[in-house]
């Protein structure tokens, strides 16, 4: 799943009293693990020192994401939340994934991840996905709308993304869209998931035989496709944004 799972860890932190302005130290850190020590690295192998949660999430920094999860209840809390949001591929206990769960060290299905983001688009209300059906489905609320709104606000903040992606990446829109990329080990999986109040879109790019791609990340592989889809939706059907709580 790569970094597509990070917003759900940050939401857990907000539920425990953090804010988008909470500071976290982006410095190389060793975390105790069952195998000794876990030493995550940022995607570009650089560290940026003290950063706000807003910047750390929007720029998809790995080391802060692990620290955020550690302060937000650990792997067990995220494991439970992801299952609440409809991910059925987490077959192993939370301790097997460890803190790397926030970096997406688990298998995932595109439809389920996109539906989990659709629950963010509904500001914390989960509904089971359905295909070509108008039948009613049950729903349940798992977080407070004003907290999920903060996640959407961070994911739509292009300025907060510039640390990692620059000002003019495929994630820059002329209208508000919350979006998040993910890249798995050896570039086997590219993800970009995005939403507005009206639409949730998920894109996966990769080779069907599981072979690696060559230096193709979520923002360069799946990102342009997601951007084109949202431009089409915005132009032909219109998109809006959330009222500030």
């Amino acid at each position: 799943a790569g970094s597509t799972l990070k917003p759900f860890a940050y939401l857990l932190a907000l539920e425990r009293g953090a804010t988008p302005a909470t500071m976290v130290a982006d410095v190389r850190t060793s975390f105790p693990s069952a195998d000794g020590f876990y030493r995550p690295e940022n995607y570009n192998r650089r560290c940026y020192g003290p950063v706000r949660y807003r910047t750390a999430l929007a720029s998809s920094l790995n080391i802060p994401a692990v620290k955020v999860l550690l302060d937000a209840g650990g792997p067990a809390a995220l494991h439970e939340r992801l299952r609440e949001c409809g991910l059925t591929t987490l077959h192993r206990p939370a301790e097997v994934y460890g803190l790397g769960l926030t970096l997406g060290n688990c298998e995932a299905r595109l439809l389920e991840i996109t539906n989990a983001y659709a629950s963010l688009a509904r500001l914390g209300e989960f509904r089971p996905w359905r295909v070509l059906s108008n039948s009613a489905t049950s729903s349940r609320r798992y977080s407070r709308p004003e907290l999920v709104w903060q996640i959407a606000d961070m994911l739509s903040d292009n300025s907060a993304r510039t640390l990692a992606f620059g000002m003019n990446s495929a994630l820059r829109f002329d209208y508000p869209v919350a979006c998040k990329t993910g890249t798995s080990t050896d570039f086997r999986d590219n993800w970009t998931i995005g939403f507005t109040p009206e639409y949730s879109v998920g894109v996966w790019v990769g080779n069907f035989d599981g072979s690696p791609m060559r230096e193709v990340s979520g923002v360069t592989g799946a990102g342009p496709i997601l951007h084109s889809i949202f431009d089409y939706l915005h132009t032909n059907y219109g998109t809006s944004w959330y009222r500030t709580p």
Side-chain angles (χ1 to χ4, degrees):
S3 294
T4 58
L5 304 185
K6 288 176 182 174
F8 299 94
Y10 278 82
L11 180 57
L12 290 172
L14 297 185
E15 291 171 357
R16 288 181 170 231
T19 76
T22 298
M23 301 296 292
V24 58
D26 180 27
V27 295
R28 287 183 175 85
T29 307
S30 297
F31 302 91
S33 71
D35 301 324
F37 288 96
Y38 176 49
R39 299 179 179 89
E41 290 275 0
N42 290 331
Y43 178 76
N44 59 6
R45 306 291 178 178
R46 295 177 58 187
C47 293
Y48 296 93
V51 293
R52 295 178 300 160
Y53 275 22
R54 173 180 293 274
T55 300
L57 175 58
S59 290
S60 199
L61 301 179
N62 288 340
I63 298 171
V66 173
K67 292 183 176 182
V68 167
L69 179 60
L70 194 60
D71 291 339
L78 182 57
H79 189 274
E80 181 181 359
R81 175 55 53 84
L82 293 173
R83 291 174 67 89
E84 280 184 316
C85 292
L87 270 66
T88 63
T89 51
L90 301 174
H91 302 303
R92 295 179 291 176
E95 59 269 19
V96 175
Y97 299 104
L99 291 170
L101 184 58
T102 191
L103 307 184
N105 65 354
C106 60
E107 294 185 339
R109 295 189 174 101
L110 176 60
L111 183 58
E112 291 181 349
I113 290 183
T114 307
N115 194 47
Y117 272 73
S119 74
L120 296 178
R122 290 188 289 267
L123 299 181
E125 180 186 331
F126 174 79
R127 298 177 193 168
W129 59 266
R130 53 195 176 158
V131 179
L132 301 179
S133 171
N134 291 321
S135 59
T137 59
S138 60
S139 65
R140 63 178 181 273
R141 177 160 296 284
Y142 60 84
S143 191
R144 290 155 49 197
E146 64 271 21
L147 299 182
V148 187
W149 177 89
Q150 293 179 54
I151 296 294
D153 186 63
M154 289 189 277
L155 293 178
S156 65
D157 187 346
N158 193 64
S159 296
R161 268 195 289 270
T162 58
L163 199 65
F165 300 108
M167 281 295 293
N168 296 303
S169 73
L171 306 183
R172 179 175 180 171
F173 292 87
D174 296 329
Y175 48 92
V177 177
C179 46
K180 184 74 190 69
T181 62
T183 307
S184 68
T185 304
D186 295 329
F187 303 98
R188 283 185 168 84
D189 302 277
N190 277 189
W191 310 86
T192 305
I193 320 292
F195 63 87
T196 67
E198 297 83 11
Y199 305 106
S200 298
V201 177
V203 178
W204 172 86
V205 168
N207 295 313
F208 290 134
D209 64 358
S211 60
M213 295 178 289
R214 296 183 181 180
E215 302 295 324
V216 181
S217 67
V219 71
T220 60
I225 300 173
L226 179 116
H227 194 114
S228 295
I229 293 171
F230 266 112
D231 277 351
Y232 176 85
L233 293 170
H234 179 73
T235 300
N236 291 276
Y237 301 102
T239 61
S240 65
W241 196 240
Y242 303 94
R243 181 181 61 84
T244 304

